[in-house]
Amino acid sequence: MRVIVLGAGLLGVTSAYYLQQRGHDVTVIDRQATPGAETSFANGGQISVSHAEPWANPSAPLKVLQWLGQEDAPLLFRVRADLRQWLWGLQFLRNCTPARTRHNIQQIVRLGTYSRTALQQLRRDTGMQYDQRTQGILHFYTNQKEFDGALGPAEQMRQLGCERQVISADEAVRIEPALAHIRPQLAGATFTAEDESGDANLFVRELAALCAQAGVQFRMGEHITALRAVAGAIDHVEVTTTEGRFERVRGDAYVLAMGSYSPLLAQPLGVSLPIYPAKGYSVTMPVKDAAMAHQVSLTDDEFKLVFSRYTSRAGRPPAHCGHGRTQRLRPRPERSPLRGHRAACGAAFPRGRRCKPGAVLDGPAPGHAQQCAVDRPHETGQPVPQHRARHAGLDAFLRLGQGTGRHRERPGAGGGL
């Protein structure tokens, strides 16, 4: 069967890999010049089954109200005259009940555990290296109320098979000595030894190379403009090639993996996808004294930040990912996106002030006329230059489960989403 994969990010490339392994003829189409150049370019790099509590939870509505108007809030919701945003917001609130939160945690843990297992198997099968670390993930809390609020979800996760252990501040420092200087501020922590971290962008590029070697065709730099249906099934994809030519691309089945752009393509077909763009940003910086930097992947739940260590590139060990914001489908640089980020990083890792200036990469938020993602030096107080679309949730750990488990064999011509 010929399968057309729309999008060459983490989900699109993993889907292409597993489809090709099952014997299908796979073509991947993406408007960027290289795989993983938008949503999957910059992120926190965690394989975090332990981060299964969704944004939509009972404590979220009050927090969002408290954070309104705070430019350095961990999650900033900008109210707009946008019907899609309001509909998404209502669905968000609908899922903030205790019952729905418990149900959603259950689904996320199951998919996350499966995804993590699939990733480990893929690593064994291919020998891929992507700055992976298998030292677990430690969630630390400097606010007692936040720590107390994490105990219930952690217990539910343990019942579902995710061993997220509640530990003391002293035990947290023993696991990660880089937290020693903030020991007096720590209220407690949780630790999941089975969780991992790694460079999602490097993973995408390495896996895309394996796919190409196995016969997957990548049509990079081609803009997908529409999906066209005939008799209730997708008949073809309309694309504009790198030479500017219009072309119809046909397959037997289609995988839509275009992040926040997916609803725009699906809507004319009568398919409503409850997806709205959220923007975050990542900072990758060199560390002068690598011995003082953290080894375990960390999550600061109060500031909604994650810290992952990359090791294969000399001089660029840690990566940080922070604040989320609702965002329209257009580029919009932030005037001061790093205030809360700098405060949190400075409090947790004061030795980080000795680091050289890093590169800021604005992660998840979409724009129609984006450039290919590149590292750019960022001076304090200057706008972040680029936006990228992403799945508004966790960074990467769900993608393999989606890529391996959501394909169905479809006889005959015509495919669905």
Side-chain angles (χ1 to χ4, degrees):
M1 182 165 64
R2 188 183 184 203
V3 183
I4 310 299
V5 178
L6 309 178
L10 210 160
L11 178 54
V13 172
T14 53
S15 298
Y17 173 82
Y18 287 107
L19 285 164
Q20 192 280 328
Q21 291 289 302
R22 296 179 184 182
H24 300 298
D25 179 12
V26 183
T27 298
V28 180
I29 306 174
D30 194 282
R31 67 196 180 110
Q32 296 292 359
T34 58
E38 292 199 22
T39 300
S40 302
F41 183 77
N43 51 75
Q46 289 190 337
I47 315 300
S48 49
V49 181
S50 59
H51 203 153
E53 186 176 11
W55 286 2
N57 62 68
S59 66
L62 179 58
K63 287 182 179 179
V64 170
L65 286 175
Q66 293 172 338
W67 290 335
L68 282 176
Q70 298 182 26
E71 286 296 314
D72 59 347
L75 175 62
L76 179 61
F77 189 88
R78 286 198 174 98
V79 179
R80 308 181 189 281
D82 183 346
L83 179 61
R84 289 181 59 241
Q85 185 195 59
W86 283 87
L87 292 174
W88 181 89
L90 291 173
Q91 290 177 316
F92 182 92
L93 291 174
R94 184 168 172 261
N95 280 279
C96 287
T97 65
R100 287 185 178 271
T101 299
R102 287 193 298 271
H103 172 77
N104 291 334
I105 288 176
Q106 182 182 51
Q107 302 305 310
I108 294 172
V109 168
R110 288 177 174 173
L111 180 56
T113 302
Y114 173 66
S115 294
R116 187 178 62 196
T117 301
L119 174 63
Q120 294 167 350
Q121 184 62 52
L122 178 64
R123 198 163 58 227
R124 288 191 294 268
D125 292 343
T126 64
M128 286 180 59
Q129 300 295 310
Y130 48 93
D131 284 354
Q132 70 271 13
R133 283 175 173 253
T134 57
Q135 295 166 271
I137 292 178
L138 190 149
H139 292 238
F140 66 90
Y141 301 84
T142 55
N143 181 294
Q144 186 65 46
K145 185 177 179 181
E146 291 283 340
F147 178 56
D148 293 341
L151 302 183
E155 173 60 28
Q156 183 185 356
M157 292 175 207
R158 287 194 298 274
Q159 294 174 0
L160 294 169
C162 175
E163 292 299 322
R164 184 177 177 184
Q165 300 300 321
V166 178
I167 60 176
S168 67
D170 288 336
E171 182 67 9
V173 173
R174 187 193 68 78
I175 293 172
E176 181 44 77
L179 295 174
H181 65 283
I182 62 166
R183 165 62 186 84
Q185 286 77 50
L186 289 177
T190 66
F191 180 64
T192 310
E194 293 81 8
D195 277 349
E196 305 179 3
S197 62
D199 186 338
N201 179 256
L202 180 58
F203 175 89
V204 172
R205 289 186 279 113
E206 292 293 319
L207 189 59
L210 292 176
C211 288
Q213 292 172 13
V216 174
Q217 181 184 5
F218 284 85
R219 299 180 55 161
M220 307 305 298
E222 300 194 359
H223 288 250
I224 301 162
T225 56
L227 295 172
R228 300 301 182 190
V230 175
I234 298 176
D235 179 71
H236 64 269
V237 181
E238 293 181 356
V239 303
T240 303
T241 67
T242 53
E243 295 83 15
R245 293 183 291 103
F246 171 82
E247 186 176 334
R248 293 185 176 94
V249 181
R250 287 185 168 86
D252 302 308
Y254 303 82
V255 177
L256 182 57
M258 295 179 61
S260 297
Y261 293 98
S262 296
L264 304 182
L265 285 174
Q267 188 174 10
L269 303 177
V271 178
S272 178
L273 300 178
I275 300 172
Y276 194 79
K279 180 177 65 172
Y281 56 82
S282 299
V283 179
T284 303
M285 65 183 75
V287 173
K288 289 185 177 180
D289 187 355
M292 302 303 297
H294 62 91
Q295 303 293 325
V296 176
S297 187
L298 302 171
T299 297
D300 181 341
D301 273 347
E302 182 179 357
F303 284 92
K304 309 303 179 191
L305 297 168
V306 303
F307 306 82
S308 295
R309 183 81 178 269
Y310 295 165
T311 58
S312 68
R313 290 158 295 177
R316 294 181 60 193
H320 307 262
C321 178
H323 307 238
R325 304 162 187 260
T326 58
Q327 177 73 18
R328 287 180 178 172
L329 285 167
R330 67 180 185 185
R332 184 182 182 278
E334 293 296 325
R335 289 183 169 81
S336 57
L338 298 183
R339 276 189 303 176
H341 204 172
R342 283 200 305 269
C345 293
F349 303 106
R351 292 178 179 85
R353 295 169 186 163
R354 297 170 56 196
C355 297
K356 299 176 182 177
V360 172
L361 299 170
D362 201 9
H368 285 296
Q370 298 169 344
Q371 302 174 15
C372 183
V374 293
D375 287 8
R376 291 187 176 183
H378 179 79
E379 297 297 330
T380 301
Q382 296 300 312
V384 173
Q386 298 187 54
H387 297 168
R388 280 163 204 89
R390 79 157 170 195
H391 163 62
L394 304 184
D395 287 306
F397 86 100
L398 291 178
R399 305 301 200 274
L400 264 76
Q402 295 170 325
T404 61
R406 293 203 170 185
H407 303 303
R408 298 292 182 268
E409 300 294 333
R410 296 172 184 267
L417 294 174

